[in-house]
Amino acid sequence: PSSRHTYYAMFVTTLGGVRKLVRVNGYMGFAYNGTPVGGAADVRTDMIDAFRLDTNTWEVGAYGPVPRLTGSQTPAGMGASGDIYIWETYNQIVKIAAGTGAVSERADLPGTEGNGGAVVVDEVNGRLVRIAGNSDGGIAYWALAGGAKVVPTLTGPGAPALTADLVGHQAGWGRAHDTKRGRVYIFTPAPVVYLLDLTTWDVQALTLTGEAIPVPTNQWWGRVQYVGALDAVAWLPKWASPIQMMRCG
């Protein structure tokens, strides 16, 4: 398939008994190696590609359709079960089920959420949590069992600063979901790192020791990840910078 922006689009899960890299992205962005050659780059698709890790081959448009998957900055997240959830710009929530790869609409919420928001699947509390984005949306969640969008009340010493930082269009924040403890490390462009408890909504503004975190190139997006095997958060601020890691605890 054609080259595309990645943003929050890349996940590894098991579908049909095979480990695959799933690319959740409806916006090709570039047409370097696909049609239309020499044409406009704004080429969109409602299908989802997969890359088989056993044979190193693409399965183009293998899953879908997701009718409103139209943006390169579409928020998506994957839970510990391997299920992938997409919180689409116009508030459609879609699930890609681990194992079968079946695509199903779970909700069609009113309004427009805006693109560029970071999403985590909080399976402990049964929620899909959305952070920042291009909608002044702040932090919101939707129960995986169904229901309306909920805007929680943030608490703790870091809540006023995070609330202030969420004002306006804030796309591209990094998120690392510490699934062992049920919390999220939120990386902002400053860069300031917040720690959000997904059960109590307590917010801590962290003071990190060691090397300074470089200001990321073109925001963080998916360049921040929690590595469960190491109980650490890893990030790559810039293409030319080293990978940095932070121990959790």
Side-chain angles (χ1 to χ4, degrees):
S2 295
S3 300
R4 300 184 194 175
H5 296 294
T6 53
Y7 294 98
Y8 301 117
M10 314 295 280
F11 304 96
V12 175
T13 188
T14 300
L15 301 175
V18 177
R19 295 290 284 173
K20 298 180 182 181
L21 172 69
V22 179
R23 185 168 68 172
V24 180
N25 193 328
Y27 178 67
M28 291 185 181
F30 300 102
Y32 295 158
N33 65 342
T35 57
V37 176
D42 187 5
V43 180
R44 298 172 188 264
T45 176
D46 60 6
M47 301 300 290
I48 293 171
D49 304 318
F51 183 80
R52 292 180 59 118
L53 299 180
D54 60 341
T55 60
N56 293 333
T57 55
W58 279 104
E59 297 178 334
V60 181
Y63 301 98
V66 183
R68 285 187 280 172
L69 180 63
T70 58
S72 60
Q73 301 175 15
T74 301
M78 186 177 74
S81 65
D83 292 337
I84 298 171
Y85 285 86
I86 305 166
W87 193 327
E88 194 268 349
T89 300
Y90 297 101
N91 270 341
Q92 180 192 46
I93 295 176
V94 172
K95 175 184 175 181
I96 305 174
T100 65
V103 177
S104 61
E105 179 184 295
R106 300 303 307 277
D108 192 358
L109 305 176
T112 300
E113 199 70 27
N115 61 11
V119 165
V120 296
V121 183
D122 175 17
E123 292 172 320
V124 173
N125 295 293
R127 298 166 177 160
L128 186 64
V129 182
R130 182 170 177 144
I131 302 164
N134 281 329
S135 64
D136 303 298
I139 293 176
Y141 71 84
W142 171 81
L144 297 177
K149 183 183 78 171
V150 178
V151 177
T153 299
L154 303 181
T155 64
L162 177 57
T163 300
D165 284 347
L166 284 165
V167 173
H169 297 318
Q170 304 294 352
W173 285 16
R175 82 285 190 256
H177 184 190
D178 179 351
T179 54
K180 293 181 183 295
R181 302 171 184 85
R183 59 193 190 183
V184 177
Y185 292 90
I186 302 173
F187 282 62
T188 70
V192 174
V193 179
Y194 294 100
L195 182 59
L196 172 66
D197 188 296
L198 293 174
T199 300
T200 65
W201 304 109
D202 177 82
V203 181
Q204 305 286 330
L206 301 182
T207 300
L208 305 184
T209 61
E211 297 177 358
I213 303 175
V215 175
T217 301
N218 298 326
Q219 310 301 348
W220 284 104
W221 302 104
R223 287 185 252 167
V224 181
Q225 298 291 330
Y226 174 70
V227 184
L230 300 176
D231 193 21
V233 175
W235 59 86
L236 180 65
K238 301 181 179 182
W239 299 116
S241 66
I243 294 175
Q244 296 180 317
M245 299 192 73
M246 174 183 66
R247 293 288 184 184
C248 301

